[in-house]
Amino acid sequence: WRYKMNSCVIDIGGHDGSDTLFYLSQGYYVYTIEANPDLCKQIENSIPKGYRDMCEVHNLGINEPGIPSLDFYVSNISQFSSFKKDYASKLPHWREDYTKDNIIKEVLKIKTTSLDEFIDDYVTKEIEYIKIDVDGSNLSAGRRLKKNIHAVKYLSIEVGDWDSHEFLYSDYGFKKFYVSDQEKVKGIKNATNACGKVFEYEFSHGSSGLWGVDIDNWLPPGPELISSFSISPWKDLHCSR
């Protein structure tokens, strides 16, 4: 079942490549988008030879249509690199274990595109899932999907409070949601591959983790879903049709 020919995952914010590798292991073709060129090289080098024809790594940022490039602020702590200068240069309140050495070491001009434009230009397969984890810009990236949103079966996005995310059901038409505590993702878990078979996979710290059919306890919009946003300061919101 090496991969499901016509299904793909779009990994927006490839970071160290751990999520991309998981989606490849599931048997999906993966389009990985990462703004940091050094991390793009790291991802490409981490893909096993047997999977290299199943993945495209794109050094791009996701932005509004018509903006060809933006300044990208590279932090010496790579996961805090961002198109937002303040995010790349300040110690986040929820990670007090980091030192004050979180500084901008470089500013790069990175090509940008809208998510709809990316799909139109590059994606030739049925979109099973889109993961969005782009430090400092998750909501703006999530809102860049207009024309193609109804072709997406599952979506996950790193979130803060619920108040900013009503568009996911009011505009995008998702009906079921689940809030994942990302502090609990690490470890060996059962996952379902593209052909519906279950296998064991070991997730590293920082991985987005399970998605789609492997998510339990979906909730409709309402008080129970809103209260679940208090589980952790570090969380992903999963969306399903």
Side-chain angles (χ1 to χ4, degrees), residues 1 11 16-27 30 46-48 51 184-193 197-211 214:
W1 60 274
D11 183 3
D16 63 358
S18 58
D19 287 338
T20 290
L21 185 57
F22 171 53
Y23 308 141
L24 290 170
S25 300
Q26 287 183 293
V30 182
S46 70
I47 298 171
Y51 291 112
K184 298 180 179 179
V185 167
K186 183 179 178 180
I188 298 174
K189 294 178 169 62
N190 288 332
T192 304
N193 69 27
K197 294 184 178 180
V198 176
F199 68 107
E200 283 191 346
Y201 193 85
E202 184 170 5
F203 294 98
S204 60
H205 178 78
S207 299
S208 290
L210 298 171
W211 61 278
D214 290 317

Side-chain angles (χ1 to χ4, degrees), residues 129 154 156 177-180 182 192 208-219 236 238-240:
Y129 173 51
Y154 298 99
S156 74
F177 302 88
Y178 175 80
V179 179
S180 169
Q182 292 307 103
T192 304
S208 290
L210 298 171
W211 61 278
V213 297
D214 290 317
I215 293 290
D216 295 321
N217 303 319
W218 293 100
L219 294 170
D236 281 1
H238 291 263
C239 314
S240 173

Side-chain angles (χ1 to χ4, degrees), residues 76-138:
N76 65 313
I77 303 174
S78 64
Q79 59 264 49
F80 297 136
S81 298
S82 176
F83 286 107
K84 292 187 175 181
K85 184 176 182 179
D86 286 350
Y87 194 96
S89 59
K90 291 182 179 179
L91 183 71
H93 67 88
W94 44 269
R95 289 310 300 267
E96 294 177 356
D97 52 317
Y98 281 106
T99 70
K100 289 184 172 58
D101 293 332
N102 181 20
I103 59 173
I104 294 170
K105 66 176 186 178
E106 190 177 11
V107 181
L108 303 174
K109 190 71 74 173
I110 298 297
K111 181 180 177 181
T112 62
T113 185
S114 74
L115 190 45
D116 271 328
E117 287 172 332
F118 177 85
I119 292 170
D120 288 344
D121 291 344
Y122 297 104
V123 178
T124 59
K125 302 176 185 299
E126 180 181 340
I127 303 170
E128 194 77 13
Y129 173 51
I130 294 179
K131 181 215 84 176
I132 301 175
D133 184 357
V134 283
D135 290 327
S137 304
N138 289 303

